[in-house]
Amino acid sequence: MAPHDLRRPFKRRPISDQQRRRELSLLRQSQHRSDAQQRARNLASSVISLQSSSSSSPDVDPEVLSEPCPTSTTTGHESEPSSFSIRQASSLRGPEARKWFASQLMLPEWMIDVPENLSRDWYVLARPAGKRCFVVSADGTTVSRLRNGSVLHLFPSALPGGARKKGVSGPAQSYSILDCIFHEADQTYYVIDMVCWRGYSLYECTAEFRFFWLQSKLDETGACDPPSFYHKFRFSVVPFYNCDQSGLHSAYTGSSPYVKDGLFFYNKHAHYHTGNTPLVLIWKDERCSQYVIDTDNNGQVPNQQHIVLELQDDGKIVTSDDPPVIVNCLNADFIKQSGLSPGSLVRFAIGDGGLNCVDGKFEKADLQYISVSNRARAFADSYSKIMFQYMARHSPVKIEDLASMISHENQQDKSSEVEMSN
């Protein structure tokens, strides 16, 4: 794809309500104010203080680390600060711990329609392949925790408060929280967002401001320097671009020091929403990701798409969204014969009848029961993931579709300028 390619504007039948929810998210964040400072303090204390054994879980399903949790929201409503005390959080085990930690991250929806004003209101960045985690520096130490709550690394760093060396990491009471992806191949934490810096919360700052601070502040500390005795792992900011033709081309085809795993799209006006949000999107194809379509336990792409849904009390099987999206309903006899109970996570295959969705709701779903899901898994698939995977097999959103939307917007801008000059 060349930066100057011009194509017809992208049009698709409205299978989702992502655009409506994006608008609602922006409206709600302008109306909602919370104690962001206390939220940052609670999270920093939890990550540092919780014993790793309280939330570690063996044989964690890899899907658990990449899917939104049931407590997250797709309505754009920013989650309230956690009411958990450190003692309460440390008592959590297994799925509860995974859900709590997962709800502290801002989780992207999968792109199933192309956002409006893509070239004006969005950033694009190449997502590094690796483990999504929080990195918290405080009280002379640095801790990284995965979405399931288990400790990834405990180490000294050049982040504020991140090492016990006088004069290097700032005041003793200083703490910082970074949203990162750990890239195993080069042992580097690639920073995708900044949640808190030297005790100053950025939850209610726009992505435009957070990204500016991330670039300007991180390099000042020496965190981007090569590893040393007081700085075990290198940090690096993931380059972000305005999502115009040039920026999309750079993120998609440009070289990077890490293995790419799709593209992230951030709305410039988005605050740091905890949980799932339509103001951050992830998109993949075969050129920029090795993992576009989900594979089975053997690493093979199954002939049929597999999805995981949650069984409710009334027999409905739903997604992890809040509110959940109803996919189908199981009769009482089948539930009893299969040994299922409310809250069970159930794996299905999508049959030849496929899926039919309009405006974010399933009108038809041909589901074939497989089994109860892996016990290590904490939550069902989201609506956006199910639809992205289905579209990837049948009618994917292509890079050309993104480019055509940008070209269309550019043409609209030029037309407006001509009208204003007349």
Side-chain angles (χ1 to χ4, degrees):
M1 182 198 73
H4 57 274
D5 279 353
L6 296 177
R7 294 182 173 84
R8 290 175 297 172
F10 174 72
K11 298 271 187 183
R12 183 183 290 275
R13 185 165 175 252
I15 63 168
S16 90
D17 58 349
Q18 268 186 337
Q19 182 59 37
R20 180 185 62 81
R21 289 186 290 103
R22 280 190 283 268
E23 294 168 356
L24 186 59
S25 293
L26 290 170
L27 177 63
R28 283 182 171 174
Q29 75 177 19
S30 67
Q31 298 172 339
H32 175 71
R33 302 293 295 177
S34 65
D35 189 351
Q37 199 69 40
Q38 185 61 41
R39 181 189 306 180
R41 191 176 298 114
N42 287 345
L43 178 57
S45 299
S46 300
V47 171
I48 293 291
S49 302
L50 285 179
Q51 297 179 5
S52 61
S53 60
S54 68
S55 50
S56 60
S57 177
D59 303 321
V60 174
D61 186 341
E63 293 177 77
V64 168
L65 303 181
S66 60
E67 277 305 290
C69 63
T71 57
S72 64
T73 175
T74 57
T75 63
H77 178 64
E78 186 172 281
S79 303
E80 295 295 331
S82 172
S83 59
F84 280 126
S85 67
I86 302 306
R87 181 176 298 178
Q88 289 172 317
S90 65
S91 68
L92 296 176
R93 298 292 188 275
E96 288 185 342
R98 291 198 294 273
K99 290 177 184 179
W100 188 83
F101 273 97
S103 69
Q104 307 310 304
L105 281 167
M106 180 164 66
L107 305 174
E109 289 194 12
W110 293 76
M111 184 188 287
I112 51 181
D113 61 32
V114 180
E116 295 178 3
N117 300 318
L118 184 62
S119 61
R120 307 180 194 103
D121 292 342
W122 294 77
Y123 291 122
V124 59
L125 52 153
R127 183 196 187 278
K131 299 175 181 177
R132 180 85 180 273
C133 59
F134 272 125
V135 175
V136 176
S137 62
D139 299 328
T141 190
T142 306
V143 180
S144 58
R145 284 187 182 269
L146 301 174
R147 273 193 52 195
N148 66 353
S150 61
V151 172
L152 179 59
H153 296 127
L154 177 64
F155 60 102
S157 77
L159 295 173
R164 298 186 184 279
K165 186 179 180 184
K166 212 177 246 188
V168 171
S169 298
Q173 298 303 314
S174 176
Y175 61 93
S176 297
I177 307 172
L178 301 177
D179 188 343
C180 301
I181 295 175
F182 183 70
H183 191 251
E184 191 76 33
D186 59 4
Q187 294 286 289
T188 297
Y189 280 95
Y190 285 96
V191 189
I192 59 175
D193 213 330
M194 179 180 282
V195 183
C196 181
W197 189 253
R198 296 189 186 275
Y200 177 73
S201 172
L202 299 171
Y203 276 105
E204 293 184 347
C205 298
T206 64
E208 193 168 24
F209 180 82
R210 297 196 311 273
F211 286 9
F212 168 75
W213 258 46
L214 178 57
Q215 278 197 317
S216 60
K217 299 296 183 182
L218 193 65
D219 196 49
E220 295 175 0
T221 64
C224 298
D225 294 345
S228 62
F229 183 79
Y230 289 102
H231 182 57
K232 186 172 181 180
F233 296 100
R234 180 174 174 266
F235 288 78
S236 181
V237 178
V238 175
F240 64 94
Y241 309 91
N242 288 316
C243 196
D244 50 23
Q245 291 287 6
S246 176
L248 181 63
H249 183 262
S250 297
Y252 183 63
T253 65
S255 61
S256 65
Y258 51 81
V259 177
K260 294 181 184 179
D261 186 22
L263 300 181
F264 274 145
F265 295 83
Y266 277 72
N267 187 287
K268 295 178 181 180
H269 310 290
H271 295 176
Y272 194 96
H273 293 270
T274 54
N276 204 24
T277 173
L279 298 178
V280 180
L281 303 171
I282 186 168
W283 173 89
K284 299 181 181 183
D285 72 0
E286 290 79 4
R287 181 167 181 177
C288 67
S289 176
Q290 185 180 351
Y291 307 103
V292 179
I293 297 179
D294 284 348
T295 57
D296 58 23
N297 294 333
N298 298 318
Q300 302 297 315
V301 175
N303 292 330
Q304 294 176 306
Q305 178 184 346
H306 292 184
I307 63 175
V308 175
L309 301 170
E310 182 176 349
L311 177 64
Q312 293 191 320
D313 293 340
D314 55 4
K316 294 175 182 175
I317 46 175
V318 300
T319 67
S320 64
D321 303 289
D322 183 13
V325 178
I326 300 169
V327 182
N328 213 320
C329 190
L330 303 180
N331 64 57
D333 290 339
F334 178 82
I335 293 174
K336 185 176 181 179
Q337 292 171 4
S338 303
L340 303 176
S341 59
S344 293
L345 297 180
V346 190
R347 187 175 295 275
F348 296 90
I350 298 177
D352 294 338
L355 300 175
N356 186 26
C357 305
V358 176
D359 293 330
K361 296 180 181 179
F362 288 98
E363 290 193 340
K364 182 188 71 173
D366 181 11
L367 301 184
Q368 300 171 358
Y369 173 77
I370 298 178
S371 65
V372 176
S373 182
N374 189 319
R375 290 175 59 186
R377 182 158 181 153
F379 32 81
D381 286 329
S382 65
Y383 174 83
S384 67
K385 184 194 174 181
I386 292 171
M387 290 310 304
F388 183 91
Q389 289 289 311
Y390 186 76
M391 290 162 58
R393 289 170 173 264
H394 299 90
S395 178
V397 175
K398 299 179 180 180
I399 192 68
E400 291 83 7
D401 298 324
L402 302 177
S404 70
M405 175 64 83
I406 295 171
S407 297
H408 178 63
E409 291 171 354
N410 290 342
Q411 291 170 355
Q412 285 183 321
D413 290 342
K414 289 178 181 178
S415 298
S416 299
E417 290 175 1
V418 171
E419 289 177 3
M420 292 179 65
S421 63
N422 291 337

